[in-house]
Amino acid sequence: MSDAADLLIANDSPSEASTLDLASVEVSAKSFLGLAQPSCLTETLRLRLTDQCYLPKADAPLRDWVARVACPAFLAYRRKHPEAAAALRRFCTIGTGAGLDALAAAEVLKPAMIAVTDLHRAVVDQAMANVLANLKRPDSVILRSGVGDLLAPFAGSGLSFDLIYENLPNIPLPADISLEDGQASSSFIAPRREALPPLARDFLLDLHVAFLLQARGFLSPGGRVLCSIGGRLPLRAMLHSFAAVDFSAEILLYSWKIQSEPEEVIGGYAEAQSNGRGPFHFYLAEDLDAAFAGAAPVQSTSEALALESALAPKRIDPASALKLHRAGRTIGHTTVVIEGRPTAGS
């Protein structure tokens, strides 16, 4: 993972990214993000994207992380913690990409400050431009941004956050790919240097746990993290990984989505399992749709564990899931948002 850590100034005008010939997508704040009547965002969100930016699934919200996971998680957090949400002042999102998660947070949580990070300067510059372009009142929020590894860009800045959100990749970086290549950093991670619990390495949670280790130094008193994880591994492995680094862990949201980039992602998990990691699992999308039909979008930890157990007979190992995908079947996976905070005395 890159060691670069550059702090950019609040509400900086974007630099070279704004002059590039960028791809663009448009999504509806109401229908795509499921927001009843947006008050902070423009009706149509127009996002420009660099080559290294993860592409929002504008035509397929069932495949999109922000539409399917991040925005519902922010809504769930507001319902579960109305007082904390009302008092929330400083929000941070790690690995923002297009900045769509920051926009969702601006609408749902309405923090006074939003901070974003990503590995690539052009991505961060464009995410800042996207946030400013799609707020009805761009001067209503202070923006901070940083380029580099996780929260490292904010080291020494004195910043602390009431809520930090992450949706980080899991698959080990292949030897023939660089994190600078296209959207590689959206799916792959380079080897970490931290001492991480064996369970995290076994289940490809390295980057999530590395984030927790860093987040401890950036949370305000009472601050929380929201970790968004593809549920291709047992829920208890996720919960135990949090406990191993002295974080509480409670499932805030348990849902599902269709697997995006299936060749790359399912193939990556298949290779990891063949190398002794895991085991990992996927599902047919139709089985997930049936299992979650009528379920409340907010699940407690106990309810999520019970639903996971009910789904167990439908699990498909990664190699079989890849074959089914190539045969034309639609593959999905569960999604988990874990709410955590440092445990007392840790």
Side-chain angles (χ1 to χ4, degrees):
M1 191 65 66
S2 169
D3 288 327
D6 300 323
L7 180 64
L8 306 183
I9 304 301
N11 289 358
D12 257 0
S13 57
S15 59
E16 73 277 5
S18 63
T19 66
L20 300 176
D21 184 15
L22 303 175
S24 62
V25 298
E26 294 185 359
V27 298
S28 164
K30 284 183 69 173
S31 60
F32 187 78
L33 294 181
L35 299 171
Q37 190 59 53
S39 60
C40 298
L41 305 183
T42 57
E43 183 175 338
T44 300
L45 304 178
R46 295 177 172 87
L47 308 169
R48 302 184 75 202
L49 312 169
T50 74
D51 289 341
Q52 293 171 313
C53 182
Y54 183 76
L55 181 67
K57 305 300 182 282
D59 298 324
L62 276 176
R63 298 178 184 270
D64 188 84
W65 272 98
V66 177
R68 194 67 177 163
V69 184
C71 193
F74 300 155
L75 290 164
Y77 182 85
R78 192 176 69 185
R79 286 192 296 268
K80 182 179 179 182
H81 303 292
E83 292 183 3
L88 192 150
R89 304 296 295 165
R90 298 178 301 277
F91 170 86
C92 182
T93 176
I94 306 299
T96 188
L100 189 56
D101 51 4
L103 286 166
E107 179 63 43
V108 175
L109 301 172
K110 295 179 171 55
M113 173 197 291
I114 294 177
V116 304
T117 75
D118 207 287
L119 275 179
H120 313 292
R121 180 175 293 280
V123 171
V124 169
D125 281 352
Q126 192 54 53
M128 291 274 281
N130 287 338
V131 172
L132 290 170
N134 289 284
L135 290 173
K136 290 180 179 177
R137 288 188 52 213
D139 61 347
S140 64
V141 62
I142 298 170
L143 297 182
R144 294 279 192 264
S145 64
V147 180
D149 179 50
L150 303 174
L151 284 153
F154 299 130
S157 68
L159 287 174
S160 64
F161 304 102
D162 304 314
L163 187 66
I164 309 176
Y165 168 80
E166 61 92 345
N167 172 25
L168 296 166
N170 303 72
I171 304 170
L173 183 70
D176 60 342
I177 295 179
S178 166
L179 289 179
E180 300 299 319
D181 296 340
Q183 299 175 31
S185 61
S186 297
S187 298
F188 302 112
I189 67 168
R192 302 297 303 185
R193 290 188 290 239
E194 302 96 330
L196 300 174
L199 188 65
R201 295 197 181 279
D202 289 345
F203 286 100
L204 303 186
L205 294 172
D206 307 54
L207 204 53
H208 299 283
V209 175
F211 158 76
L212 292 175
L213 293 174
Q214 290 189 19
R216 185 184 307 278
F218 290 93
L219 286 171
S220 59
R224 297 176 172 90
V225 299
L226 297 181
C227 295
S228 179
I229 304 173
R232 309 173 190 92
L233 62 145
L235 287 173
R236 291 195 185 278
M238 302 181 203
L239 299 173
H240 290 163
S241 292
F242 272 62
V245 290
D246 297 318
F247 263 76
S248 67
E250 186 173 347
I251 294 173
L252 175 70
L253 192 77
Y254 188 57
S255 187
W256 71 279
K257 67 181 286 293
I258 294 173
Q259 178 62 64
S260 53
E261 288 79 42
E263 281 286 334
E264 182 178 83
V265 175
I266 302 174
Y269 277 95
E271 182 175 354
Q273 185 158 315
S274 72
N275 291 331
R277 305 284 190 98
F280 305 106
H281 50 261
F282 294 82
Y283 304 90
L284 291 173
E286 61 211 54
D287 290 334
L288 289 169
D289 191 31
F292 280 87
V298 181
Q299 305 287 328
S300 70
T301 299
S302 60
E303 289 170 330
L305 289 168
L307 189 49
E308 179 190 55
S309 179
L311 272 167
K314 303 294 186 179
R315 288 178 178 172
I316 307 167
D317 66 84
S320 299
L322 193 58
K323 290 179 182 177
L324 287 166
H325 159 68
R326 291 170 176 170
R329 305 298 295 274
T330 303
I331 304 299
H333 61 84
T334 58
T335 59
V336 189
V337 178
I338 298 180
E339 174 191 330
R341 60 199 308 183
T343 54
S346 64

